[in-house]
Amino acid sequence: MQKAEKMQELRVFAAEIRLEALKTIGSLGFGHVGGSMSVVEALAVLYGAVMKVDPKNPRWEDRDWCVMSKGHAGPAMYATLGLKGFYPIEQAYTLNQPHTNFPSHTDRTKTPGVDLTTGSLGQGMSTAIGAALGNKMDDKNNHVFVFVGDGECDEGQVWEGAEFAVQYKLDNLVCFVDYNQYQLDGAVDSIMGHGKGLGAKFDAFGWHVIEVEDGNDVEQIYDAVMAAYKVKGMPTCIVLNTIKGKGATFAEPSHSHSSQPTKEQWDEAIAAAEAELARVKAL
Ligand SMILES: Cc1ncc(C[n+]2csc(CCOP(=O)(O)OP(=O)(O)O)c2C)c(N)n1
């Protein structure tokens, strides 16, 4: 398949993920819309063009791994995995309800395709690094992808992991930083700024760093991952400059972390996401 055709396929996949993630959270009426929306395009690239996975065998030993360390973006993972065929997508519409297999934060014991349990910020970085080390020791020819938030990067545990990954030359590890500029209580810079930027920090720790100017553009993300695959002897950090709440009509303008919109606002957001999917499909 030509690259242009593949990118178009990924744009459609991203629009489908956004719609399904909104429907998933909408089934409950409230939840983490902001941080789910910002990682949609990166998930589309990973599961639509990059990762080796087998929906019929989620624990396939040679698979690539994806760890959503900012575990509150669970709904975006659930939409992606459902659309990829790990389970019927409608199952995710039980989000956070009693006995569901789709808790608000990703849990490997509950949802097929979720590789590691997350939710306590910082920990997913460590466990992803452990998985990368284990896979390397087992001579696996695969990659571990981990998503961390810019607010999450306030956690010291992220940086202990960053140091470790360099020491052990984990070139099978790619960390996406979702640099959407907002955390739970507001703008990252107003709470705990990142000085010269998170790319500069990872660089100082010895990582190969790739800055993606538009972290909601599938082609830029795809090119970054292809470049990361060529890096030997060190882990790669891909900094995604994203928009918190991207594409959700009630969340994007305010970049809100969690949302509890009215029924009318949900209807409007889902209709807008459906219209966007139709628009992208017609390109
Ligand atoms: C150790 C820990 N402290 C606090 C929280 C509560 N919490 C959940 S999400 C969040 C903000 C995270 O911000 P960011 O990483 O920027 O996420 P994003 O904006 O991408 O959703 C906080 C403080 C948590 N889950 N874990």
Side-chain angles (χ1 to χ4, degrees):
M1 190 188 284
Q2 295 295 311
K3 187 180 174 199
E5 212 180 320
K6 188 77 208 169
M7 294 307 115
Q8 169 60 8
E9 201 180 281
L10 292 181
R11 278 188 272 277
V12 172
F13 190 31
E16 288 171 341
I17 295 171
R18 180 159 284 114
L19 173 60
E20 286 303 330
L22 281 173
K23 284 192 192 168
T24 296
I25 306 172
S27 68
L28 191 64
F30 59 91
H32 294 108
V33 174
S36 294
M37 294 297 110
S38 50
V39 292
V40 161
E41 281 75 17
L43 286 170
V45 169
L46 289 185
Y47 285 91
V50 172
M51 286 174 64
K52 291 180 293 181
V53 290
D54 180 0
K56 300 279 166 284
N57 183 11
R59 293 273 194 265
W60 174 38
E61 283 203 352
D62 293 323
R63 73 187 182 283
D64 291 317
W65 293 47
C66 178
V67 182
M68 187 57 71
S69 188
K70 38 167 274 182
H72 52 282
M77 278 297 284
Y78 304 152
T80 308
L81 294 170
L83 289 164
K84 186 76 184 168
F86 282 83
Y87 41 78
I89 184 67
E90 293 74 22
Q91 286 186 9
Y93 301 168
T94 59
L95 182 76
N96 230 6
Q97 285 162 24
H99 312 296
T100 184
N101 284 324
F102 300 86
S104 63
H105 298 63
T106 46
D107 184 334
R108 70 182 291 281
T109 67
K110 299 224 179 283
T111 316
V114 168
D115 288 312
L116 288 171
T117 301
T118 55
S120 183
L121 296 171
Q123 291 187 1
M125 180 70 159
S126 299
T127 53
I129 288 167
L133 179 64
N135 286 336
K136 214 174 201 347
M137 290 168 82
D138 287 345
D139 278 330
K140 298 276 183 217
N141 180 25
N142 62 358
H143 280 79
V144 175
F145 298 92
V146 57
F147 284 84
V148 296
D150 47 9
E152 179 175 11
C153 287
D154 292 352
E155 292 287 341
Q157 188 166 2
V158 168
W159 303 105
E160 291 176 49
E163 220 165 26
F164 184 98
V166 169
Q167 175 70 20
Y168 287 88
K169 300 184 171 43
L170 298 182
D171 48 15
N172 58 342
L173 177 73
V174 177
C175 174
F176 286 106
V177 175
D178 184 13
Y179 215 163
N180 60 28
Q181 306 289 344
Y182 288 85
Q183 52 164 291
L184 191 152
D185 292 319
V188 163
D189 279 345
S190 70
I191 295 164
M192 189 67 72
H194 289 299
K196 291 176 182 164
L198 285 165
K201 284 192 174 172
F202 274 91
D203 179 68
F205 272 74
W207 287 55
H208 181 73
V209 175
I210 301 171
E211 291 272 351
V212 172
E213 198 180 326
D214 182 352
N216 295 113
D217 181 286
V218 291
E219 185 159 6
Q220 290 184 32
I221 301 166
Y222 178 81
D223 289 345
V225 176
M226 291 304 107
Y229 272 5
K230 295 200 183 109
V231 176
K232 299 290 167 223
M234 63 178 82
T236 295
C237 168
I238 298 179
V239 179
L240 300 172
N241 292 291
T242 58
I243 294 175
K244 192 154 180 167
K246 172 82 179 171
T249 45
F250 55 78
E252 183 175 332
S254 55
H255 308 297
S256 33
H257 185 72
S258 6
S259 314
Q260 188 164 9
T262 62
K263 163 98 175 56
E264 290 68 34
Q265 286 173 311
W266 271 116
D267 291 346
E268 186 194 358
I270 287 168
E274 279 169 346
E276 176 61 8
L277 174 59
R279 187 193 70 80
V280 174
K281 273 184 174 168
L283 288 175

